[in-house]
C-alpha cells in the first residue's frame, strides 16, 4: 500500500506566500513595463540610444551612463526604465517574506531548530541583498 504524503502547515504557508508574491510581482512587472513602453515616465536612457550601449561590458556601461552600482537605482524610480527594477527586486525578496511567514509556525510547533535556521536564513538573505559585504564580481 502506498502511503500518501501530505504537506506540512509550514510547507503550505510557504507555498501560499510564494504563489501570492509571484502573482503580485508579475503584476508589478506588467504594469511597470506598460508604463515604460508607453513613455508615461521618461527613461533614463532613451530607447533609441540603447543599441550603442549593448556592446559594452557592465562596467563600461555604468561609466558611460553615469549609473552607480548597488541600490542607487532606488533614486531613479521616477524613470520608466528603472521602475521595472522594483518588480525584479520584489520578486527576488519574496523568498525572504516566505521564510518570515513560516517562522512563527516553527516556534508554535516547538521546532526551535527550524525556527532559528529560518531566522538565520532571513538574516543571510538580507545581508546578501544589502550589498554590505561587497563581494562577487560586480
Amino acid at each position: 500500500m502506498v502511503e500518501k504524503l501530505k504537506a506540512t502547515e509550514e510547507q503550505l504557508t510557504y507555498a501560499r506566500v510564494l504563489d501570492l508574491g509571484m502573482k503580485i510581482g508579475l503584476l508589478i512587472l506588467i504594469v511597470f513595463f506598460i508604463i515604460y513602453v508607453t513613455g508615461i515616465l521618461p527613461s533614463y536612457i532613451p530607447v533609441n540610444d540603447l543599441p550603442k550601449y549593448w556592446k559594452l561590458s557592465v562596467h563600461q556601461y555604468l561609466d558611460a551612463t553615469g549609473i552607480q552600482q548597488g541600490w542607487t537605482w532606488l533614486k531613479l524610480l521616477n524613470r520608466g526604465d528603472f521602475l521595472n527594477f522594483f518588480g525584479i527586486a520584489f520578486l527576488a525578496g519574496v523568498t525572504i517574506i516566505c521564510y518570515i511567514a513560516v517562522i512563527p509556525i516553527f516556534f508554535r510547533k516547538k521546532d526551535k531548530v527550524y525556527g532559528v535556521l529560518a531566522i538565520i536564513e532571513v538574516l543571510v538573505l538580507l545581508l546578501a541583498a544589502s550589498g554590505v559585504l561587497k563581494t562577487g564580481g560586480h
Side-chain angles (χ1 to χ4, degrees):
M1 184 163 192
V2 178
E3 184 178 329
K4 288 190 174 185
L5 294 177
K6 283 187 145 189
T8 63
E9 180 185 2
E10 52 273 19
Q11 290 172 325
L12 291 172
T13 299
Y14 189 101
R16 277 193 297 270
V17 173
L18 183 63
D19 182 56
L20 180 63
M22 183 279 306
K23 289 174 182 168
I24 292 171
L26 183 61
L27 181 64
I28 290 170
L29 286 176
I30 291 169
V31 170
F32 288 175
F33 183 72
I34 290 170
I35 290 172
Y36 169 60
V37 297
T38 57
I40 292 173
L41 289 177
S43 295
Y44 184 79
I45 299 173
V47 174
N48 293 336
D49 292 348
L50 286 177
K52 73 181 181 185
Y53 296 113
W54 288 344
K55 63 184 177 205
L56 302 178
S57 69
V58 171
H59 294 291
Q60 291 171 329
Y61 170 77
L62 293 174
D63 287 341
T65 58
I67 300 171
Q68 297 179 356
Q69 296 183 24
W71 288 90
T72 55
W73 60 269
L74 287 170
K75 297 175 186 172
L76 299 170
L77 286 177
N78 60 343
R79 302 296 184 138
D81 45 350
F82 277 90
L83 195 58
N84 289 313
F85 283 39
F86 180 81
I88 295 167
F90 177 83
L91 284 172
V94 169
T95 298
I96 296 171
I97 298 168
C98 291
Y99 276 113
I100 290 171
V102 298
I103 288 170
I105 297 170
F106 286 134
F107 284 105
R108 186 172 31 84
K109 289 182 162 183
K110 304 204 184 307
D111 287 335
K112 293 177 184 171
V113 173
Y114 284 123
V116 170
L117 287 174
I119 290 171
I120 292 170
E121 184 70 28
V122 168
L123 294 174
V124 167
L125 290 171
L126 289 173
L127 182 64
S130 73
V132 170
L133 299 177
K134 304 280 184 196
T135 60
H138 301 289

